[in-house]
Amino acid sequence: MSEDEEIKEIEEITEKMNLENKEEEEEEENDGITIPELPEGKVLELRLLSNWGDSNFIGLNSVEIFTSTGERAVVEEITTNATEYNGNLESLIIERVRCKDSEKMWCAKKLPENTDEQIVVRIELKESCKLALIRFWNYNASRVHAQIGVRYLEMLLDGRGIFRGELECAFSADSEFTPVMGETVLFTTCESILELIAAHDVCLINLPEETVPSATLELLKANHLTPYRPSTCEEKEAPSTPVVNALPPKFPSHPPVTSYRNDVKILHIELLSNWGMGGLIGLTGLELVDDHNQLIDESQFTVTTSDGNKEQTSKLFNGRNLTRDPQDMWLVDFDSKKPVTISITFNESVTLKAISIWNYNASFELSYAGAKASKIYANGKLIKSIIFRKATGFVYFDYVQDIVLDPNNMDQDVVPKGISHSIGGFVFQIRLLSTWGDEFYIGLNGIELYNRKGELIKVKENNLAAFPESVNILPNIKNDLRTSNNLITPPNDTDIAKHMWLTALLPNRCARVFFVFDVQTYISKIIIYNYRKTPERGVRHISVTVDDLIIFSGEIPPSTETITGKLEINLLDL
């Protein structure tokens, strides 16, 4: 080969390489689509690239399209390349807010993973217009079926890419505390256009005047509930005045086996570890209880902590314990090699019966800064080694932990692990994710817990919490007998409504049942009896967690008029 031929061949190879590099750059540019300002066009394509985990279907609840005039775009036609799907495709463009009816949503059968094709929804507008905002409401028939919802999505307008990104799952951790507003893609930041949209946005027009707060007491006002909720009532035998169940005293006085008197001048609480967050440890609050079950007033003692921060220390006894506000909590730096100490010096010796603690609770993530292993000293003598229960990160119930210092109180004895199989924890939570058809109410007949010996645990009312507590939270219902205490009171296999529990379904929240213990408690089996009075109000999908770890998720069989649906969860098999 001559020198000229070699040069020519090198030039051809170089040109080919440059061409390939240019094509790769163009592909990279297409993948990284830049959202344009007020893109104009007539045909909008939605390419559904992936979902949030469901192996069979992918889908959406609805799509809202607003133009630069602030009005909704008029859709001429909507089509899809999917050949197998559930629901009406046209339901995607019907105006509605927070629908949870699967019949009014749309989902398509997923294509095989080895195909290059994508499921496409094609929306043809009546006329070409400038797009200002598109809002997606993801698939949300239930918390379980939320995995059908679209995760990655690509949008094209008249063949030009205008968006590629991720849509939020309809049920996320944050949606437990804030109202879901859909996933919005903005194509303008012009304030005048956004004001025009706000005037036509049914989502904003129908918002309650007051944002739904996360605090339990505010949620239970239920002012934000739908006015179309059907009435329900089971109070035939209820008296004309409200039913008030007298709770047992917080610290019952058992006759001691041997005389016990804990006269304390100086109390030390030594915090040895937290629940996993590096560098920080904290508590929300403390209360001290004397031998007459009375709170010891803060004026009777002084408090110091090993960090020496008086401003932080004052938060321990400010009385604001049912909160998620970090400004009301005590939080200090923590080194696992050096325990943090809280020292309480009484003006005069007191007979100290118990300590109530609220662990650090600013959020679910920050609850891991809460204290865990601890030792309690009275007058320099070790009287208790205990595990502080982790806070929940929310305020659906009073998350106080009561530590009784009387050694004769058997309820406070820590159960050793032993050799039998069971799962131990402080908080057993059952999330009720969906019903068998009702969209307003959800209920159960009862729940039974069994210990490691296979014996039924007699759960006390102060160990049980439900959120919402019952249908009595609704403003139009009073004295309904289907309260949460029925969950732990036999009979459970029954068709008598007054022995059942029924509660309201709140928007964007699942109902929950908690079994909360002050010491680590071991469970070998859980039996759940489904709601029977109106079977479609029975629970369908549930998840069970122990101290935030999921140990079970599944489905409870529905009840019928003659048979109570029952689910037995054998923790020995887990």
Side-chain angles (χ1 to χ4, degrees):
M1 181 183 293
S2 65
E3 185 176 346
D4 291 340
E5 289 175 335
E6 287 181 359
I7 294 173
K8 185 177 180 180
E9 184 177 358
I10 291 172
E11 288 175 346
E12 288 176 350
I13 293 173
T14 303
E15 184 178 355
K16 184 178 180 181
M17 291 174 64
N18 290 336
L19 182 62
E20 290 175 351
N21 289 336
K22 185 177 180 181
E23 290 174 350
E24 289 177 1
E25 290 174 359
E26 289 177 351
E27 289 177 2
E28 289 176 1
E29 289 177 359
N30 290 333
D31 285 341
I33 294 173
T34 301
I35 297 178
E37 177 79 14
L38 295 174
E40 186 172 359
K42 186 177 181 181
V43 179
L44 179 68
E45 283 189 7
L46 309 178
R47 296 183 177 178
L48 314 185
L49 306 180
S50 66
N51 67 8
W52 278 94
D54 191 89
S55 57
N56 298 312
F57 293 94
I58 185 170
L60 289 165
N61 186 324
S62 60
V63 182
E64 298 176 287
I65 305 171
F66 292 88
T67 69
S68 58
T69 64
E71 299 175 315
R72 291 174 179 271
V74 179
V75 177
E76 182 83 12
E77 184 182 22
I78 180 169
T79 57
T80 180
N81 66 337
T83 56
E84 296 182 60
Y85 57 84
N86 297 325
N88 186 351
L89 185 63
E90 293 185 356
S91 68
L92 289 177
I93 54 174
I94 295 175
E95 292 183 23
R96 61 177 181 273
V97 179
R98 299 177 180 88
C99 168
K100 295 184 70 174
D101 185 350
S102 59
E103 297 298 321
K104 297 177 182 178
M105 303 178 196
W106 178 84
C107 62
K109 183 76 173 178
K110 286 178 65 177
L111 298 173
E113 294 184 359
N114 57 359
T115 181
D116 293 331
E117 294 184 18
Q118 299 163 347
I119 291 177
V120 177
V121 175
R122 185 176 183 273
I123 301 175
E124 184 175 347
L125 307 180
K126 187 173 183 179
E127 58 185 14
S128 182
C129 56
K130 293 181 179 179
L131 303 186
L133 179 152
I134 297 178
R135 181 186 292 124
F136 295 94
W137 295 86
N138 223 336
Y139 198 92
N140 67 329
S142 71
R143 188 173 297 271
V144 173
H145 290 135
Q147 294 181 347
I148 292 174
V150 176
R151 183 170 186 177
Y152 288 104
L153 170 92
E154 185 175 274
M155 283 193 287
L156 289 83
L157 185 63
D158 288 350
R160 177 193 173 196
I162 60 172
F163 174 81
R164 182 187 179 99
E166 184 179 78
L167 302 186
E168 187 175 355
C169 185
F171 286 98
S172 66
D174 290 338
S175 69
E176 289 293 310
F177 309 109
T178 58
V180 178
M181 285 288 295
E183 188 84 1
T184 299
V185 180
L186 278 175
F187 295 102
T188 183
T189 55
C190 176
E191 291 186 7
S192 59
I193 294 177
L194 296 178
E195 288 175 0
L196 290 172
I197 293 173
H200 297 88
D201 191 350
V202 67
C203 180
L204 295 179
I205 294 171
N206 289 338
L207 272 180
E209 293 181 3
E210 191 175 3
T211 302
V212 180
S214 60
T216 305
L217 296 179
E218 292 297 322
L219 282 171
L220 296 186
K221 290 179 180 178
N223 293 331
H224 58 285
L225 300 177
T226 170
Y228 306 111
R229 182 184 298 271
S231 62
T232 184
C233 187
E234 184 65 31
E235 54 175 353
K236 293 179 181 178
E237 300 179 19
S240 57
T241 56
V243 176
V244 178
N245 294 324
L247 293 176
K250 187 172 184 180
F251 302 104
S253 300
H254 300 291
V257 178
T258 58
S259 60
Y260 169 73
R261 187 170 183 85
N262 195 12
D263 292 329
V264 180
K265 177 67 175 177
I266 300 177
L267 181 74
H268 291 287
I269 303 174
E270 193 175 79
L271 308 180
L272 306 175
S273 67
N274 65 14
W275 279 91
M277 177 168 284
L280 294 171
I281 196 167
L283 296 171
T284 296
L286 293 169
E287 285 181 354
L288 307 176
V289 181
D290 65 17
D291 58 339
H292 299 294
N293 287 344
Q294 299 297 312
L295 294 183
I296 301 175
D297 190 81
E298 190 179 355
S299 62
Q300 299 182 42
F301 56 82
T302 57
V303 184
T304 58
T305 56
S306 54
D307 68 302
N309 189 327
K310 294 183 179 179
E311 183 180 353
Q312 281 287 323
T313 303
S314 64
K315 298 177 181 180
L316 285 168
F317 290 91
N318 64 11
R320 295 187 289 273
N321 298 321
L322 291 181
T323 179
R324 294 178 69 230
D325 187 349
Q327 298 302 317
D328 286 327
M329 302 179 192
W330 175 75
L331 185 68
V332 297
D333 294 334
F334 176 63
D335 181 349
S336 59
K337 298 178 181 178
K338 188 178 180 182
V340 171
T341 302
I342 301 169
S343 299
I344 301 169
T345 304
F346 296 93
N347 300 339
E348 297 179 0
S349 292
V350 299
T351 303
L352 187 63
K353 182 174 185 177
I355 303 171
S356 297
I357 75 139
W358 288 260
N359 222 332
Y360 196 79
N361 195 51
S363 69
F364 176 76
E365 292 79 10
L366 291 174
S367 66
Y368 286 87
K372 187 178 181 181
S374 63
K375 292 182 177 181
I376 300 174
Y377 296 83
N379 304 327
K381 179 182 178 182
L382 178 65
I383 58 172
K384 201 85 171 179
S385 294
I386 196 165
I387 299 294
F388 286 172
R389 186 176 66 228
K390 192 179 81 67
T392 55
F394 45 74
V395 194
Y396 289 150
F397 61 91
D398 188 349
Y399 56 95
V400 63
Q401 180 180 5
D402 297 321
I403 302 167
V404 178
L405 303 181
D406 185 346
N408 298 311
N409 189 296
M410 300 306 294
D411 292 338
Q412 292 288 322
D413 287 346
V414 178
V415 180
K417 286 192 174 181
I419 58 173
S420 61
H421 293 284
S422 55
I423 292 181
F426 291 97
V427 179
F428 293 76
Q429 178 183 174
I430 302 174
R431 295 189 181 195
L432 315 180
L433 307 179
S434 65
T435 69
W436 279 99
D438 197 280
E439 58 180 315
F440 298 105
Y441 300 99
I442 193 167
L444 291 170
N445 270 21
I447 302 173
E448 295 175 347
L449 306 181
Y450 291 82
N451 63 21
R452 60 175 62 217
K453 297 179 181 179
E455 301 167 337
L456 178 65
I457 298 175
K458 294 181 179 179
V459 178
K460 300 175 183 177
E461 285 193 29
N462 63 336
N463 296 125
L464 172 71
F467 179 85
E469 195 283 324
S470 71
V471 289
N472 289 304
I473 70 161
L474 299 174
N476 61 328
I477 296 180
K478 294 180 180 179
N479 304 329
D480 195 291
L481 298 179
R482 292 167 293 182
T483 53
S484 61
N485 62 301
N486 290 332
L487 288 168
I488 56 173
T489 306
N492 295 323
D493 189 356
T494 178
D495 60 355
I496 302 175
K498 70 178 182 180
H499 295 305
M500 304 176 190
W501 171 68
L502 187 69
T503 193
L505 285 171
L506 300 183
N508 303 311
R509 287 169 174 81
C510 64
R512 304 160 184 250
V513 176
F514 303 90
F515 293 95
V516 185
F517 301 98
D518 289 331
V519 297
Q520 199 165 37
T521 301
Y522 291 83
I523 307 295
S524 64
K525 183 170 64 175
I526 302 173
I527 299 179
I528 303 175
Y529 297 83
N530 219 340
Y531 192 74
R532 185 162 157 187
K533 181 176 184 289
T534 311
E536 56 267 27
R537 291 178 177 174
V539 180
R540 184 172 184 177
H541 297 105
I542 68 163
S543 70
V544 181
T545 63
V546 179
D547 295 341
D548 301 332
L549 298 177
I550 296 178
I551 62 168
F552 176 84
S553 62
E555 189 174 277
I556 306 178
S559 295
T560 66
E561 292 182 0
T562 57
I563 300 174
T564 302
K566 187 168 70 171
L567 173 66
E568 183 172 318
I569 305 171
N570 192 342
L571 304 183
L572 302 179
D573 299 332
L574 299 180

